[in-house]
Amino acid sequence: MKATATYLKVSGDQIRRFQRCVLTFYKQHGRMLPWRSTMDSYKILVSEVMLQQTQVSRVIPYYIRWVETWPTVQALARASRPEVLRAWLGLGYNSRAVRLQQASRVITHDFGGDVLAAMQDYQKVPGVGRYTAQAVLIFATNADLVTVDTNIRRILLASFGLPASTADRDLWDLALRCLPKGRSREWHNALMDYGALQVTARRTNIPPKTRQSKFEGSSRQLRAQVLRVLLDAPRTTQTLQQMLCCDEEALSEVLLRMCQEGILTCDGARFVVASD
DNA sequence: TTCCCGCCCT
DNA sequence: AGGGCTGGAA
C-alpha cells in the first residue's frame, strides 16, 4: 500500500461541477489547433516541446513548418544542427531545439523509433520531463493519465480555492480524481483552453511557480544576437564584440555557456554553430 | 511589468 | 532548491 498524500478537502460533487464547467467551456470556446488533429506521437512531441513556456499563437507557424520539413522522427534525426536551429530561430529557448533533435536521435536509435516507448522511459530523452512525457502519452493515446503544468496547476488552485503552497503531489492526485475516465485527450485539451482563455494568471492573480528575469539588456538577448550572427558565418570573439557592441566579459560568458549547451563549438579562434 | 501547455544543470 | 533560458503580447 502506497502512502497517500495529504487529503485535500474536495468533494465528489465539487469535482463533478468542475468537470461540467470545464467541458461546457470547451464546447463553446475550444480552439482548433494543428496538433489537435493528429494522433502522430512524434508530431505531438514536437508541439509539446515548442509549447514549453511559449504561447500557442507563436508556436502555430513554427509547428506547421517543422512537421513539413521533418515529418518523422527519423527525418529529424538525420537533420543537421544548424538547420534545426535556423528553423527554431525566433521561437526562443534555443537549447530546446538542440535537445529535441538529440531526443529524435535517442528515440530513433535506442527505442527503434517508438516515441511512446521513449515517453514511458522519459528520463533517457533530452528535453523531455514528466509534464511533456505524460502530455504526449495523453494526446497520442487517450490513456487515463494526467499531467499538471503551470496552467492546470492554476486552474486547480483557483477552482477549488487551494493555497499556492499546495504540494505538487497533492495537485497530481487531485488532477487524477478530476479526470473523466476514457476522455483524457478531450479533457486535457479542455483544461488548456480553459486555462489560457478563462482562468488566466492575470484574472486569478495566481503567479506561476517560476518567474523569469528581465529580457532587455540581459544575457538572453545577447545569446539570441550571437546565434543569429553565427548562423550566417563563423566569427571570432573580437568580431562578434564589434558587431554587437556588447560588453566583452558578458560576451565571453555567453559564448562559454552556449558551447556547454551544444549550440556552438569553438573552431580554433572562431565560434561556429555546432554541427552535431 | 508580467506571463506564456518546463527542463536542465549546479 | 535555485537560477538560467527567447521573444512578443497584454
Side-chain angles (χ1 to χ4, degrees):
Chain A
M1 187 71 182
K2 273 185 172 175
T4 53
T6 312
Y7 180 68
L8 295 179
K9 285 183 287 185
V10 176
S11 71
D13 270 358
Q14 282 177 283
I15 286 178
R16 278 184 289 279
R17 210 174 309 132
F18 171 62
Q19 289 173 330
R20 266 200 306 279
C21 184
V22 172
L23 291 170
T24 300
F25 180 86
Y26 185 56
K27 279 199 185 90
Q28 293 173 2
H29 306 285
R31 295 171 295 183
M32 198 57 229
L33 302 172
W35 46 89
R36 289 185 179 175
S37 55
T38 182
M39 304 215 319
D40 183 326
S41 53
Y42 158 71
K43 293 178 181 173
I44 293 169
L45 173 62
V46 170
S47 76
E48 287 301 331
V49 173
M50 287 184 170
L51 286 161
Q52 290 168 3
Q53 300 284 283
T54 307
Q55 287 118 307
V56 165
S57 59
R58 188 123 48 87
V59 167
I60 290 172
Y62 284 85
Y63 168 83
I64 291 172
R65 249 179 287 130
W66 190 280
V67 299
E68 276 173 10
T69 309
W70 300 292
T72 65
V73 69
Q74 290 86 0
L76 182 57
R78 287 192 299 268
S80 78
R81 188 163 304 177
E83 249 182 318
V84 160
L85 283 167
R86 221 181 294 278
W88 201 273
L89 209 54
L91 194 51
Y93 292 118
N94 295 303
S95 55
R96 284 184 301 171
V98 173
R99 293 197 201 108
L100 179 57
Q101 194 196 19
Q102 288 172 335
S104 75
R105 291 181 174 171
V106 168
I107 293 167
T108 299
H109 301 125
D110 299 348
F111 290 91
D114 188 340
V115 174
L116 297 179
M119 292 303 100
Q120 297 187 35
D121 204 359
Y122 69 87
Q123 288 173 331
K124 294 181 181 167
V125 185
V128 176
R130 181 146 122 104
Y131 165 76
T132 302
Q134 293 286 101
V136 172
L137 289 169
I138 289 163
F139 292 124
T141 73
N142 194 36
D144 283 333
L145 301 170
V146 294
T147 193
V148 178
D149 67 331
T150 181
N151 216 346
I152 297 176
R153 171 178 175 273
R154 184 180 62 252
I155 294 171
L156 293 175
L157 296 181
S159 302
F160 296 108
L162 302 171
S165 59
T166 305
D168 278 354
R169 175 65 202 274
D170 291 335
L171 288 173
W172 283 72
D173 284 353
L174 177 59
L176 190 56
R177 291 179 64 199
C178 292
L179 172 69
K181 302 291 187 282
R183 303 169 68 183
S184 188
R185 175 167 27 223
E186 177 191 8
W187 175 244
H188 283 85
N189 281 331
L191 284 174
M192 292 308 170
D193 290 349
Y194 191 55
L197 306 174
Q198 189 72 8
V199 186
T200 61
R202 212 167 286 278
R203 287 219 268 262
T204 59
N205 212 20
I206 298 174
K209 279 192 300 185
T210 62
R211 296 194 173 193
Q212 293 151 122
S213 50
K214 276 199 260 267
F215 179 67
E216 193 61 36
S218 70
S219 61
R220 277 154 54 209
Q221 186 178 37
L222 182 55
R223 284 170 59 105
Q225 294 175 335
V226 165
L227 180 59
R228 284 173 195 276
V229 168
L230 294 182
L231 275 171
D232 187 48
R235 305 285 185 187
T236 63
T237 306
Q238 289 74 20
T239 308
L240 280 169
Q241 201 209 330
Q242 286 165 12
M243 292 177 75
L244 303 177
C245 301
C246 60
D247 181 64
E248 189 179 343
E249 195 175 334
L251 178 59
S252 301
E253 286 178 18
V254 158
L255 289 170
L256 178 60
R257 201 173 173 92
M258 290 177 81
C259 286
Q260 289 170 344
E261 291 176 18
I263 296 175
L264 304 180
T265 55
C266 189
D267 162 29
R270 297 181 309 175
F271 287 90
V272 200
V273 176
S275 56
D276 73 88

